[in-house]
Amino acid sequence: MVSLEMGIFGYLCLVNFSGFFLMGLDKWKAKRQRWRVAEKTFFGISVLGGSLGCWLGMYTFRHKTRHWQFIVGMPLILAAQVTVILFLTFKK
């Protein structure tokens, strides 16, 4: 039986990998002038727990690093998520 913690960990790995992958995919598509991933998709994934993956993808692929919404937004979402996790962890 899988514990709740392992399920959450697996979910976070999946959603962060998705954010990282989509950032790379969008960069690839931008270079080839193809259909792009919507910016709201990146923020949606971030809010759902994939902010670290999106943020790492931004700087790994050098993508969206000139857009202030991403430069400020991704770290703020990540900071809020870390704050919530710390609060829930030390609340016990």
Side-chain angles (χ1 to χ4, degrees):
M1 183 176 227
V2 177
S3 68
L4 178 62
E5 291 85 7
M6 289 302 295
I8 292 171
F9 178 75
Y11 168 78
L12 289 174
C13 286
L14 180 66
V15 74
N16 278 286
F17 175 78
S18 298
F20 185 84
F21 173 80
L22 280 178
M23 197 63 75
L25 178 65
D26 194 49
K27 176 68 174 198
W28 182 84
K29 288 183 173 194
K31 286 182 175 181
R32 286 155 184 81
Q33 298 179 351
R34 294 200 170 160
W35 173 84
R36 305 279 302 280
V37 177
E39 290 185 355
K40 65 181 177 181
T41 302
F42 292 116
F43 283 104
I45 287 174
S46 293
V47 168
L48 292 174
S51 56
L52 181 60
C54 286
W55 187 62
L56 289 174
M58 279 176 53
Y59 291 100
T60 300
F61 302 111
R62 296 181 191 166
H63 189 54
K64 303 283 187 191
T65 55
R66 293 185 181 185
H67 298 257
W68 71 269
Q69 300 96 327
F70 284 86
I71 293 170
V72 174
M74 291 297 166
L76 281 178
I77 294 169
L78 179 60
Q81 291 170 340
V82 168
T83 302
V84 168
I85 289 169
L86 290 174
F87 175 76
L88 292 175
T89 301
F90 293 111
K91 183 180 176 185
K92 296 176 183 180

